[in-house]
Amino acid sequence: MSGASARSLAKGSAPPGPVPEGLIRVYSMRFCPFAQRTLLVLKAKGIRHEIININLKNKPEWFFKKNPFGLVPVLENSQGQLIYESAITCEYLDEAYPGKKLLPDDPYEKACQKMVFELFSKVPSLVTSFLRRRNEEDCSGLKAELRKELSKLEEVLTNKKTTFFGGSSLSMTDYLIWPWFERLEILELNDCVDHTPKLKLWMAAMRQDPAVSALLTDPKALRGFFNLYLQNSPEACDYGL
Amino acid sequence: MRFCPYAHRTRLVLRAKGIRHEVININLRNKPEWYYTKHPFGQIPVLENSKCQLIYESVIACEYLDDAYPGRKLYPYDPYERARQKMLLELFYKILGYQNTIFFGGDCISMIDYLFWPWFERLDVYGIADCLNHTPALRLWTAAMKQDPTVCALLIDKNIFLGFLNLYFQNNPDAFDYGLTC
């Protein structure tokens, strides 16, 4: 499994060659929460993969041939098939590879996981908004909105009476939402889970998971990245290397 | 609700797979109080089965039906082909979501609006009235487009278009001249 800590490829870089047989490639960025979803699933399922990091502030021209939207994550396999949109990449990996199934086989249980995931849908943009505005005086409105969204998730855990969103063990929804919870502390948003005790317990349980702990981002590096990223620096994506 | 495009999706899948079902229409402007026990925000469509399991969000409901019921599979078996279909759906949402102004290119009609219009005009001819709460931006766009002199001048008459389609699907060579008087 290579490339996790490799320098990102930027404009002017040569396009990478085809993906070798037996491997799947993920175009990623070390600090991207969406790409982290895909990396978590790759790790959790033990899928052999290689990582190519992309400089999102100075994208290589060839990258738009991989994803017309120019976003990470993107999967590329040895047949040259390309899959993008983080949730779609995760589901693809679960379907295409053997081993532990992260989505349940039962149609209703699978639908439940997807309905819970929908409840999370406003969180990423709220966290991004907060990141961009945290130096402004009044983020209380944003924080209140975030708390409201998080309480929906708390309700799910309360009703299900389980540790994780899919039951007693970790499954797809847990991995899909985790990257934003990892960032709460660094963004000083930890108090947003003050009134959601089950979510707090869930966060602690997540940190015990081997895939989650293997992919935990160093908080100092994340802070360094945020600072440079907000200044649109082309060095942001390689912070700490 | 009979005119909601999201609920329409679910009814299409139910029909395509030959799934026995009953339909309960909800008045979206005057929702029954009990409906919030089916969906926390009172949206449609919602599926309910005999085990009292509730499934909502139109795309999730459609996938559930494909998974849970036998017969013709609507999603492909191949994981990559499945992923491709889902990526296409995201593209569709991006088109709908790309609008933050009346027209797709800004406050005035421009090329992209004309490039999209023919398909939407044909949908409009079928009289698919937009769902009351969904895609208001698209509804506004359609109305705004119909005020453009160019669009107006070339608007297809609904009856003529339906007459054409009727003959066309019968492979009738006279289809193309339908509605011409001489």
Side-chain angles (χ1 to χ4, degrees), chain A residues 9-14 53-56 58-64:
Chain A
L9 298 185
K11 208 175 264 182
S13 60
N53 289 314
I54 300 295
N55 188 330
L56 297 180
N58 191 18
K59 297 174 191 176
E61 310 82 347
W62 54 258
F63 186 58
F64 290 88

Side-chain angles (χ1 to χ4, degrees), chain A residues 81 85 91 108 110 114, chain B residues 53 63 67 80 86 94:
Chain A
Q81 291 172 333
E85 297 295 324
E91 192 163 359
Y108 174 65
K110 184 169 137 193
K114 293 188 174 194
Chain B
Q53 292 172 334
E63 186 166 0
D67 289 339
Y80 171 66
K86 293 173 183 194
K94 282 186 162 83

Side-chain angles (χ1 to χ4, degrees), chain B residues 76-115:
Chain B
Y77 283 108
D78 178 66
Y80 171 66
E81 293 302 327
R82 289 174 77 95
R84 262 207 85 225
Q85 294 216 0
K86 293 173 183 194
M87 288 187 274
L88 263 174
L89 185 64
E90 284 301 312
L91 261 176
F92 175 70
Y93 285 133
K94 282 186 162 83
I95 290 175
L96 292 187
Y98 244 79
Q99 252 189 314
N100 44 21
T101 46
I102 300 269
F103 298 102
F104 281 99
D107 292 321
C108 299
I109 201 170
S110 61
M111 180 65 84
I112 187 61
D113 302 289
Y114 288 127
L115 295 177

Side-chain angles (χ1 to χ4, degrees), chain A residues 69 81-85 88 91-92 95-96 107-108 110-111 114-115 118-119 152, chain B residues 41 53-57 60 63-64 67-68 79-80 82-83 86-87 90-91 94:
Chain A
F69 297 113
Q81 291 172 333
L82 294 154
I83 300 111
Y84 46 83
E85 297 295 324
I88 298 177
E91 192 163 359
Y92 166 80
E95 289 169 2
Y108 174 65
K110 184 169 137 193
K114 293 188 174 194
M115 287 189 276
E118 272 299 311
L119 288 176
K152 291 181 190 166
Chain B
F41 306 117
Q53 292 172 334
L54 295 157
I55 300 107
Y56 47 80
E57 293 299 323
I60 298 177
E63 186 166 0
Y64 166 80
D67 289 339
Y80 171 66
R82 289 174 77 95
K86 293 173 183 194
M87 288 187 274
E90 284 301 312
L91 261 176
K94 282 186 162 83

